[in-house]
Amino acid sequence: MSIKRQACIAGAFEHPTRKAPDKTVAQLHAECARGALEDAGLTLQDVDGYFCASDAPGLGGINMADYLGLKLKHVDSTDTGGSSYLLHVAHAAQAIATGKCNVALITLAGRPRSEGSSGVAPRVAIPGTPDVPWELPYGPVTVNMYALVAARHMYEYGTTAEQLAWIKVAASHHAQHNPHAMLRDVVTVEDVLASPMISDPLRKLDCCVVSDGGGALLVVRPEIARALKRPVVNLLGSGEFIKGQLGGKVDLSWSGAAVSGPIAFAEAGVKPSDIQYASIYDSFTITVLMQLEDLGFCKKGEGGRFVADGNLISGVGKLPFNTDGGGLCNNHPANRGGITKVIEAVRQLRGEAHAKVQVPNCTLALAQGTGGLLGSRHGSATLIMERE
Protein backbone atom coordinates (compact mmCIF):
# COMPACT_ATOMS: atom_id res chain seq x y z
CA MET A 1 0.00 0.00 0.00
CA SER A 2 1.06 3.59 -0.56
CA ILE A 3 2.73 5.38 2.34
CA LYS A 4 2.23 8.83 0.80
CA ARG A 5 1.49 11.21 3.68
CA GLN A 6 0.30 8.28 5.80
CA ALA A 7 2.97 8.82 8.46
CA CYS A 8 5.59 11.32 9.57
CA ILE A 9 9.07 11.28 11.06
CA ALA A 10 8.69 13.05 14.40
CA GLY A 11 11.98 12.24 16.14
CA ALA A 12 15.57 11.80 14.96
CA PHE A 13 18.78 11.36 16.91
CA GLU A 14 22.37 10.52 15.99
CA HIS A 15 24.61 9.31 18.81
CA PRO A 16 27.58 11.69 19.21
CA THR A 17 30.12 8.99 20.11
CA ARG A 18 32.49 7.60 17.53
CA LYS A 19 34.24 5.23 19.95
CA ALA A 20 32.54 3.63 22.93
CA PRO A 21 34.74 0.99 24.59
CA ASP A 22 32.91 1.62 27.87
CA LYS A 23 29.38 0.97 26.55
CA THR A 24 27.47 -2.12 25.45
CA VAL A 25 25.54 -2.28 22.19
CA ALA A 26 22.32 -2.37 24.22
CA GLN A 27 23.32 0.84 26.01
CA LEU A 28 23.95 2.57 22.70
CA HIS A 29 20.54 1.45 21.40
CA ALA A 30 18.89 2.76 24.56
CA GLU A 31 20.69 6.10 24.44
CA CYS A 32 19.70 6.54 20.79
CA ALA A 33 16.08 5.70 21.63
CA ARG A 34 16.07 8.25 24.45
CA GLY A 35 17.54 10.90 22.16
CA ALA A 36 14.89 10.42 19.48
CA LEU A 37 12.08 10.44 22.05
CA GLU A 38 13.38 13.65 23.60
CA ASP A 39 13.70 15.19 20.14
CA ALA A 40 10.04 14.41 19.43
CA GLY A 41 8.72 15.19 22.89
CA LEU A 42 7.44 11.64 23.46
CA THR A 43 8.18 8.90 26.00
CA LEU A 44 8.82 5.17 25.94
CA GLN A 45 5.25 4.69 27.11
CA ASP A 46 4.05 6.20 23.83
CA VAL A 47 5.91 3.63 21.72
CA ASP A 48 3.82 0.69 20.50
CA GLY A 49 5.92 -0.40 17.51
CA TYR A 50 9.60 -1.38 17.41
CA PHE A 51 11.80 -1.87 14.36
CA CYS A 52 15.38 -3.14 14.39
CA ALA A 53 17.88 -5.25 12.46
CA SER A 54 20.47 -7.78 13.58
CA ASP A 55 22.59 -5.12 15.26
CA ALA A 56 19.97 -5.13 18.04
CA PRO A 57 21.06 -7.81 20.53
CA GLY A 58 18.82 -10.81 20.98
CA LEU A 59 16.39 -12.68 18.74
CA GLY A 60 15.17 -10.06 16.34
CA GLY A 61 15.00 -7.37 18.95
CA ILE A 62 13.15 -9.37 21.60
CA ASN A 63 15.85 -8.78 24.19
CA MET A 64 16.24 -5.14 23.15
CA ALA A 65 12.52 -4.48 23.46
CA ASP A 66 12.61 -6.07 26.92
CA TYR A 67 15.69 -4.02 27.87
CA LEU A 68 13.83 -0.83 26.91
CA GLY A 69 10.67 -1.92 28.71
CA LEU A 70 8.52 -1.54 25.61
CA LYS A 71 4.87 -2.63 25.46
CA LEU A 72 4.37 -3.35 21.79
CA LYS A 73 1.58 -4.02 19.33
CA HIS A 74 3.86 -4.43 16.33
CA VAL A 75 7.48 -5.50 15.70
CA ASP A 76 9.67 -5.84 12.60
CA SER A 77 13.25 -7.13 12.42
CA THR A 78 13.77 -6.99 8.66
CA ASP A 79 17.50 -7.08 7.90
CA THR A 80 18.96 -6.03 4.56
CA GLY A 81 22.23 -4.67 5.93
CA GLY A 82 22.76 -0.92 5.66
CA SER A 83 19.47 -0.43 3.82
CA SER A 84 17.45 -2.01 6.66
CA TYR A 85 16.59 1.21 8.45
CA LEU A 86 15.13 2.89 5.38
CA LEU A 87 12.99 -0.20 4.90
CA HIS A 88 12.00 0.10 8.54
CA VAL A 89 10.76 3.67 8.01
CA ALA A 90 8.61 2.54 5.09
CA HIS A 91 7.38 -0.58 6.90
CA ALA A 92 6.55 1.53 9.97
CA ALA A 93 4.53 3.90 7.80
CA GLN A 94 2.64 0.93 6.33
CA ALA A 95 1.99 -0.46 9.81
CA ILE A 96 0.70 2.92 10.99
CA ALA A 97 -1.53 3.29 7.92
CA THR A 98 -3.13 -0.09 8.61
CA GLY A 99 -3.64 0.58 12.33
CA LYS A 100 -0.96 -1.82 13.61
CA CYS A 101 0.73 0.88 15.70
CA ASN A 102 0.79 4.62 16.32
CA VAL A 103 4.36 5.43 17.36
CA ALA A 104 7.15 3.32 15.84
CA LEU A 105 10.68 3.41 17.24
CA ILE A 106 13.60 2.44 14.97
CA THR A 107 17.08 1.99 16.45
CA LEU A 108 20.56 1.15 15.23
CA ALA A 109 23.76 0.84 17.27
CA GLY A 110 27.11 -0.89 17.14
CA ARG A 111 30.74 -0.94 18.25
CA PRO A 112 32.73 -2.02 15.16
CA ARG A 113 35.55 0.43 15.91
CA SER A 114 36.00 -0.79 19.48
CA GLU A 115 35.80 -4.38 18.26
CA GLY A 116 38.44 -3.88 15.57
CA SER A 117 36.18 -4.41 12.56
CA SER A 118 37.58 -3.58 9.14
CA GLY A 119 36.52 -3.71 5.51
CA VAL A 120 39.77 -5.49 4.67
CA ALA A 121 39.16 -8.42 7.02
CA PRO A 122 38.17 -11.80 5.50
CA ARG A 123 34.42 -12.32 5.38
CA VAL A 124 33.05 -14.81 7.91
CA ALA A 125 31.04 -17.77 6.66
CA ILE A 126 27.48 -17.92 7.94
CA PRO A 127 26.46 -21.59 8.23
CA GLY A 128 23.86 -22.56 5.67
CA THR A 129 24.40 -19.58 3.39
CA PRO A 130 24.13 -20.94 -0.16
CA ASP A 131 26.97 -18.88 -1.64
CA VAL A 132 29.62 -20.05 0.85
CA PRO A 133 31.00 -23.12 -0.98
CA TRP A 134 31.55 -21.21 -4.23
CA GLU A 135 32.58 -17.70 -3.15
CA LEU A 136 34.53 -17.84 0.11
CA PRO A 137 37.40 -19.95 -1.31
CA TYR A 138 38.33 -16.90 -3.39
CA GLY A 139 38.72 -14.82 -0.22
CA PRO A 140 36.39 -11.88 -0.91
CA VAL A 141 36.58 -8.96 1.49
CA THR A 142 34.25 -5.97 1.57
CA VAL A 143 36.56 -3.47 -0.09
CA ASN A 144 37.54 -5.65 -3.04
CA MET A 145 33.90 -6.45 -3.79
CA TYR A 146 33.38 -2.71 -4.28
CA ALA A 147 36.67 -2.30 -6.13
CA LEU A 148 35.37 -4.79 -8.71
CA VAL A 149 32.43 -2.49 -9.38
CA ALA A 150 34.66 0.58 -9.60
CA ALA A 151 37.02 -1.14 -12.04
CA ARG A 152 34.11 -2.28 -14.20
CA HIS A 153 32.61 1.22 -14.26
CA MET A 154 35.96 2.70 -15.30
CA TYR A 155 36.27 0.11 -18.07
CA GLU A 156 32.72 0.51 -19.36
CA TYR A 157 32.33 4.30 -19.13
CA GLY A 158 35.76 5.85 -18.77
CA THR A 159 35.16 6.95 -15.20
CA THR A 160 38.38 8.17 -13.58
CA ALA A 161 39.90 8.03 -10.11
CA GLU A 162 39.88 11.84 -10.10
CA GLN A 163 36.11 11.87 -10.60
CA LEU A 164 35.56 9.41 -7.76
CA ALA A 165 37.80 11.56 -5.56
CA TRP A 166 35.42 14.50 -5.92
CA ILE A 167 32.85 12.56 -3.87
CA LYS A 168 35.26 12.39 -0.93
CA VAL A 169 36.16 16.05 -1.44
CA ALA A 170 32.49 17.05 -1.20
CA ALA A 171 31.98 14.96 1.93
CA SER A 172 35.00 16.57 3.57
CA HIS A 173 33.76 20.08 2.79
CA HIS A 174 30.61 19.23 4.75
CA ALA A 175 32.31 17.30 7.58
CA GLN A 176 34.43 20.30 8.57
CA HIS A 177 31.27 21.84 10.04
CA ASN A 178 30.27 18.71 12.01
CA PRO A 179 31.90 18.67 15.47
CA HIS A 180 31.25 14.93 15.81
CA ALA A 181 32.70 13.87 12.44
CA MET A 182 35.66 11.50 12.61
CA LEU A 183 37.44 13.21 9.71
CA ARG A 184 37.01 17.00 9.70
CA ASP A 185 39.92 18.06 7.51
CA VAL A 186 39.00 19.28 4.03
CA VAL A 187 40.80 17.22 1.40
CA THR A 188 41.57 17.80 -2.26
CA VAL A 189 41.43 15.49 -5.24
CA GLU A 190 45.21 15.29 -5.01
CA ASP A 191 44.98 14.21 -1.37
CA VAL A 192 42.63 11.37 -2.27
CA LEU A 193 44.83 10.19 -5.12
CA ALA A 194 47.91 10.31 -2.89
CA SER A 195 46.34 8.12 -0.20
CA PRO A 196 47.40 4.46 -0.03
CA MET A 197 45.89 2.00 -2.48
CA ILE A 198 43.65 -0.47 -0.64
CA SER A 199 42.07 -2.47 -3.46
CA ASP A 200 42.71 -1.20 -6.98
CA PRO A 201 41.24 1.25 -7.96
CA LEU A 202 39.98 2.25 -4.49
CA ARG A 203 42.33 4.13 -2.21
CA LYS A 204 42.13 4.74 1.52
CA LEU A 205 40.20 7.99 1.14
CA ASP A 206 37.70 6.29 -1.17
CA CYS A 207 36.61 4.18 1.81
CA CYS A 208 34.24 5.02 4.65
CA VAL A 209 35.31 5.36 8.25
CA VAL A 210 34.66 2.65 10.84
CA SER A 211 32.96 4.02 13.95
CA ASP A 212 30.95 3.11 17.00
CA GLY A 213 27.65 4.87 17.58
CA GLY A 214 24.13 4.66 16.26
CA GLY A 215 20.90 6.50 15.74
CA ALA A 216 17.15 6.34 16.15
CA LEU A 217 13.99 7.54 14.43
CA LEU A 218 10.35 7.85 15.43
CA VAL A 219 7.64 7.37 12.82
CA VAL A 220 4.16 8.44 13.96
CA ARG A 221 0.63 9.08 12.83
CA PRO A 222 0.27 12.47 11.08
CA GLU A 223 -2.10 13.79 13.74
CA ILE A 224 0.46 12.96 16.44
CA ALA A 225 3.22 14.70 14.50
CA ARG A 226 1.14 17.84 14.07
CA ALA A 227 0.43 17.97 17.80
CA LEU A 228 4.14 18.01 18.64
CA LYS A 229 6.27 21.16 18.70
CA ARG A 230 8.48 20.06 15.82
CA PRO A 231 8.45 20.70 12.06
CA VAL A 232 6.41 18.00 10.35
CA VAL A 233 8.29 15.70 7.94
CA ASN A 234 5.93 13.68 5.75
CA LEU A 235 6.85 10.42 4.04
CA LEU A 236 6.00 10.61 0.34
CA GLY A 237 7.35 7.47 -1.28
CA SER A 238 9.49 4.40 -0.77
CA GLY A 239 10.99 1.60 -2.80
CA GLU A 240 12.93 -1.55 -1.98
CA PHE A 241 14.77 -4.22 -3.94
CA ILE A 242 17.21 -7.10 -3.55
CA LYS A 243 19.80 -7.51 -6.31
CA GLY A 244 21.61 -10.84 -6.45
CA GLN A 245 23.60 -12.85 -8.95
CA LEU A 246 20.61 -13.12 -11.29
CA GLY A 247 21.16 -16.78 -12.01
CA GLY A 248 24.70 -16.19 -13.18
CA LYS A 249 23.89 -13.20 -15.39
CA VAL A 250 26.12 -10.96 -13.30
CA ASP A 251 26.11 -7.30 -14.32
CA LEU A 252 28.16 -4.97 -12.11
CA SER A 253 27.12 -1.84 -14.00
CA TRP A 254 23.97 -1.20 -11.97
CA SER A 255 22.78 -1.31 -8.36
CA GLY A 256 19.45 -2.05 -6.70
CA ALA A 257 18.72 1.68 -6.69
CA ALA A 258 17.80 1.27 -10.37
CA VAL A 259 14.66 -0.54 -9.16
CA SER A 260 13.95 0.91 -5.71
CA GLY A 261 14.39 4.51 -6.92
CA PRO A 262 11.76 4.55 -9.68
CA ILE A 263 9.27 2.85 -7.35
CA ALA A 264 9.77 5.59 -4.73
CA PHE A 265 9.59 8.43 -7.27
CA ALA A 266 6.39 7.04 -8.77
CA GLU A 267 4.73 6.75 -5.37
CA ALA A 268 5.83 10.23 -4.33
CA GLY A 269 4.79 11.76 -7.64
CA VAL A 270 8.07 13.65 -8.07
CA LYS A 271 11.13 13.48 -10.33
CA PRO A 272 14.86 13.33 -9.54
CA SER A 273 15.16 16.93 -10.75
CA ASP A 274 12.71 17.99 -7.99
CA ILE A 275 14.97 16.75 -5.18
CA GLN A 276 16.73 19.57 -3.30
CA TYR A 277 18.90 17.43 -1.03
CA ALA A 278 20.08 13.80 -1.25
CA SER A 279 21.46 11.51 1.45
CA ILE A 280 23.28 8.76 -0.46
CA TYR A 281 24.78 5.68 1.17
CA ASP A 282 28.54 6.12 0.93
CA SER A 283 30.40 3.03 2.06
CA PHE A 284 32.81 3.83 -0.80
CA THR A 285 32.97 6.60 -3.37
CA ILE A 286 31.86 4.22 -6.10
CA THR A 287 28.74 3.39 -4.07
CA VAL A 288 27.64 7.02 -4.33
CA LEU A 289 28.36 7.35 -8.04
CA MET A 290 26.45 4.18 -8.90
CA GLN A 291 23.38 5.15 -6.90
CA LEU A 292 23.25 8.67 -8.31
CA GLU A 293 23.12 7.19 -11.81
CA ASP A 294 20.61 4.52 -10.93
CA LEU A 295 18.32 6.96 -9.12
CA GLY A 296 18.16 9.07 -12.29
CA PHE A 297 20.12 12.14 -11.23
CA CYS A 298 22.24 11.59 -14.33
CA LYS A 299 22.39 9.07 -17.16
CA LYS A 300 24.17 5.73 -16.79
CA GLY A 301 27.86 6.22 -17.40
CA GLU A 302 27.74 9.96 -16.76
CA GLY A 303 28.16 9.75 -12.98
CA GLY A 304 31.83 10.67 -13.12
CA ARG A 305 31.12 13.97 -14.84
CA PHE A 306 28.11 14.58 -12.59
CA VAL A 307 30.06 14.40 -9.33
CA ALA A 308 33.14 16.29 -10.57
CA ASP A 309 34.06 19.91 -9.82
CA GLY A 310 32.13 20.18 -6.57
CA ASN A 311 28.66 19.40 -7.92
CA LEU A 312 27.78 17.63 -4.64
CA ILE A 313 28.95 20.45 -2.33
CA SER A 314 26.18 22.41 -0.60
CA GLY A 315 26.05 26.01 -1.79
CA VAL A 316 28.27 25.20 -4.78
CA GLY A 317 26.84 22.29 -6.75
CA LYS A 318 23.46 21.33 -8.14
CA LEU A 319 22.81 18.42 -5.76
CA PRO A 320 23.97 18.85 -2.14
CA PHE A 321 24.63 15.43 -0.62
CA ASN A 322 25.54 14.01 2.80
CA THR A 323 25.87 17.37 4.52
CA ASP A 324 26.91 15.72 7.80
CA GLY A 325 30.02 14.28 6.10
CA GLY A 326 28.38 10.89 5.56
CA GLY A 327 30.08 7.56 5.99
CA LEU A 328 33.16 8.84 4.18
CA CYS A 329 33.93 11.40 6.90
CA ASN A 330 31.34 11.46 9.71
CA ASN A 331 30.47 7.96 10.94
CA HIS A 332 29.49 4.46 9.86
CA PRO A 333 28.16 2.74 12.98
CA ALA A 334 27.50 -0.99 13.25
CA ASN A 335 29.17 -1.38 9.84
CA ARG A 336 25.93 -0.06 8.39
CA GLY A 337 25.04 3.62 8.19
CA GLY A 338 21.60 3.71 6.61
CA ILE A 339 19.79 5.34 9.52
CA THR A 340 22.12 8.34 9.47
CA LYS A 341 21.05 9.04 5.89
CA VAL A 342 17.48 9.53 7.05
CA ILE A 343 18.55 11.55 10.09
CA GLU A 344 20.46 14.13 8.04
CA ALA A 345 17.61 14.35 5.53
CA VAL A 346 15.26 15.13 8.43
CA ARG A 347 17.66 17.83 9.66
CA GLN A 348 17.70 19.42 6.22
CA LEU A 349 13.90 19.38 5.93
CA ARG A 350 13.55 20.89 9.40
CA GLY A 351 16.14 23.56 8.62
CA GLU A 352 18.33 22.20 11.43
CA ALA A 353 21.48 21.28 9.50
CA HIS A 354 24.61 23.35 10.12
CA ALA A 355 24.18 26.86 8.74
CA LYS A 356 27.14 26.42 6.39
CA VAL A 357 25.57 23.39 4.70
CA GLN A 358 21.84 23.97 5.15
CA VAL A 359 20.01 23.92 1.81
CA PRO A 360 17.86 27.08 1.64
CA ASN A 361 14.12 26.42 1.87
CA CYS A 362 14.61 22.66 1.66
CA THR A 363 11.19 21.05 1.28
CA LEU A 364 11.95 17.83 -0.64
CA ALA A 365 14.70 15.33 0.20
CA LEU A 366 15.74 11.80 -0.69
CA ALA A 367 17.53 9.16 1.35
CA GLN A 368 19.08 6.12 -0.31
CA GLY A 369 20.48 3.05 1.44
CA THR A 370 22.47 0.05 0.27
CA GLY A 371 23.22 -3.04 2.35
CA GLY A 372 25.40 -6.02 1.53
CA LEU A 373 27.99 -6.00 -1.25
CA LEU A 374 27.60 -3.98 -4.41
CA GLY A 375 29.81 -6.52 -6.15
CA SER A 376 27.60 -9.52 -5.36
CA ARG A 377 24.21 -9.31 -3.62
CA HIS A 378 22.73 -6.34 -1.81
CA GLY A 379 19.55 -4.68 -0.62
CA SER A 380 18.46 -1.24 -1.76
CA ALA A 381 15.94 1.14 -0.21
CA THR A 382 14.83 4.61 -1.28
CA LEU A 383 12.83 7.13 0.75
CA ILE A 384 11.39 10.46 -0.39
CA MET A 385 10.32 12.96 2.27
CA GLU A 386 8.83 16.44 2.35
CA ARG A 387 8.51 19.22 4.88
CA GLU A 388 4.84 19.95 5.43
Side-chain angles (χ1 to χ4, degrees):
M1 66 173 298
S2 174
I3 67 167
K4 189 171 184 178
R5 299 194 179 95
Q6 296 295 306
C8 307
I9 297 177
F13 177 79
E14 178 187 346
H15 205 292
T17 190
R18 299 297 179 261
K19 190 172 185 180
D22 59 332
K23 297 180 185 292
T24 67
V25 172
Q27 281 178 288
L28 291 171
H29 272 276
E31 290 173 8
C32 290
R34 180 176 61 190
L37 287 163
E38 290 176 351
D39 179 62
L42 296 168
T43 69
L44 280 173
Q45 287 68 45
D46 295 309
V47 175
D48 58 358
Y50 182 52
F51 293 70
C52 65
S54 60
D55 58 280
L59 294 174
I62 291 175
N63 289 8
M64 196 64 236
D66 184 39
Y67 184 84
L68 291 171
L70 297 174
K71 296 180 180 179
L72 302 171
K73 293 163 55 180
H74 188 75
V75 295
D76 187 331
S77 57
T78 299
D79 195 343
T80 57
S83 57
S84 302
Y85 317 93
L86 287 83
L87 266 69
H88 291 165
V89 172
H91 293 183
Q94 292 168 348
I96 287 169
T98 56
K100 297 293 185 181
C101 59
N102 298 301
V103 176
L105 170 66
I106 303 164
T107 65
L108 167 144
R111 301 172 63 253
R113 187 179 179 193
S114 291
E115 295 167 1
S117 177
S118 170
V120 296
R123 299 190 67 79
V124 177
I126 301 173
T129 304
D131 61 325
V132 170
W134 290 272
E135 294 181 8
L136 287 187
Y138 294 94
V141 299
T142 299
V143 64
N144 66 32
M145 295 303 288
Y146 283 79
L148 283 173
V149 177
R152 190 67 194 180
H153 205 278
M154 289 177 169
Y155 175 80
E156 290 281 355
Y157 305 113
T159 307
T160 67
E162 289 83 359
Q163 290 170 333
L164 286 179
W166 271 107
I167 298 170
K168 175 71 171 194
V169 171
S172 74
H173 272 268
H174 299 149
Q176 67 177 315
H177 305 298
N178 182 352
H180 302 302
M182 284 185 65
L183 305 178
R184 296 188 64 192
D185 292 339
V186 175
V187 300
T188 65
V189 169
E190 291 72 24
D191 292 330
V192 179
L193 297 181
S195 65
M197 184 70 74
I198 303 299
S199 183
D200 194 10
L202 297 179
R203 298 179 177 275
K204 182 177 180 180
L205 294 186
D206 285 300
C207 307
C208 70
V209 299
V210 176
S211 76
D212 298 346
L217 296 162
L218 285 169
V219 182
V220 306
R221 287 192 175 282
E223 55 269 29
I224 295 175
R226 295 179 186 124
L228 301 171
K229 298 178 180 180
R230 306 295 282 122
V232 175
V233 175
N234 285 322
L235 294 167
L236 286 187
S238 69
E240 57 191 70
F241 183 67
I242 301 292
K243 184 191 176 191
Q245 299 294 299
L246 304 175
K249 298 178 181 178
V250 179
D251 184 350
L252 298 181
S253 69
W254 62 280
S255 73
V259 178
S260 66
I263 294 171
F265 280 114
E267 183 176 21
V270 300
K271 306 181 300 296
S273 58
D274 297 323
I275 300 298
Q276 297 166 287
Y277 166 78
S279 281
I280 307 292
Y281 200 93
D282 55 345
S283 48
F284 300 90
T285 51
I286 185 62
T287 320
V288 176
L289 186 146
M290 289 281 288
Q291 291 172 106
L292 288 171
E293 290 180 343
D294 292 335
L295 289 168
F297 289 110
C298 62
K299 292 181 180 179
K300 177 56 65 177
E302 296 182 1
R305 290 187 290 275
F306 183 82
V307 302
D309 302 321
N311 197 44
L312 301 180
I313 300 175
S314 184
V316 176
K318 296 180 180 179
L319 184 67
F321 104 119
N322 296 10
T323 45
D324 60 344
L328 289 170
C329 294
N330 177 26
N331 69 342
H332 194 249
N335 288 331
R336 41 176 74 195
I339 203 168
T340 58
K341 300 297 166 267
V342 184
I343 292 168
E344 185 66 5
V346 170
R347 291 192 191 112
Q348 282 286 350
L349 291 169
R350 288 175 168 181
E352 296 173 353
H354 190 283
K356 295 289 187 179
V357 298
Q358 175 66 51
V359 176
N361 303 312
C362 185
T363 59
L364 193 63
L366 174 145
Q368 168 66 28
T370 295
L373 299 174
L374 212 61
S376 60
R377 55 194 59 76
H378 61 274
S380 177
T382 310
L383 282 178
I384 298 174
M385 296 154 277
E386 68 170 3
R387 174 167 175 157
E388 186 172 278

